[in-house]
Amino acid sequence: MKHILVPLGVVLVVVWTLWNLWNLFRIAGGLRDGGWRRPVWWARVLSVSLCAGLLAWVWGLFTGGLDVRDTCLYLRHENYDEAYRKAHTEEFSKLFPLHNKCNADYDLVPAWVNPTVVILAVVALVALAVLLRFAFARLVSPSRKEHQS
């Protein structure tokens, strides 16, 4: 089952990313023509921010490579402190904030990853709040047929 789900997940993320690249152009156009006043614009912002946040998080998650020791020593030319890593094992297994340190001073996760994930999560929450406001306004406002009577 796993051999089917992983490729399917990868394909879905790739398709979602391509769709969100298209959405970036639509968002920019909506800024020019007032499209930001419509719910679909905010749905695009929500989708783009979630996708970009996921991609940044995945980038940070896999920056250490499969062998952290080799990555530290041979790719980054940093000392690998095994005692430090053993003492802080739980820190490196957390989902957020991401850290994957070679030693006490050098983190393999780029410094931009965690702030980017937070900023994009805030943008997603704002977009979701605006979408909920649109939905609430639609539920509360009287229907158009009632206005015509």
Side-chain angles (χ1 to χ4, degrees), residues 98-126:
L98 293 174
H99 293 291
N100 199 0
K101 294 186 175 188
C102 295
N103 52 50
D105 299 323
Y106 190 81
D107 197 349
L108 292 172
V109 177
W112 60 267
V113 170
N114 289 322
T116 300
V117 170
V118 169
I119 290 168
L120 291 171
V122 168
V123 170
L125 287 174
V126 168

Side-chain angles (χ1 to χ4, degrees), residues 67-138:
D67 189 350
V68 175
R69 181 182 179 277
D70 287 348
T71 302
C72 291
L73 292 174
Y74 303 120
L75 290 177
R76 304 296 172 92
H77 306 290
E78 289 290 328
N79 291 331
Y80 179 76
D81 187 353
E82 191 169 341
Y84 178 82
R85 287 196 54 94
K86 283 184 181 177
H88 297 87
T89 303
E90 64 208 32
E91 180 181 347
F92 305 132
S93 61
K94 291 192 301 187
L95 295 177
F96 191 81
L98 293 174
H99 293 291
N100 199 0
K101 294 186 175 188
C102 295
N103 52 50
D105 299 323
Y106 190 81
D107 197 349
L108 292 172
V109 177
W112 60 267
V113 170
N114 289 322
T116 300
V117 170
V118 169
I119 290 168
L120 291 171
V122 168
V123 170
L125 287 174
V126 168
L128 183 62
V130 172
L131 284 169
L132 290 173
R133 182 186 171 278
F134 276 117
F136 183 73
R138 188 176 189 118

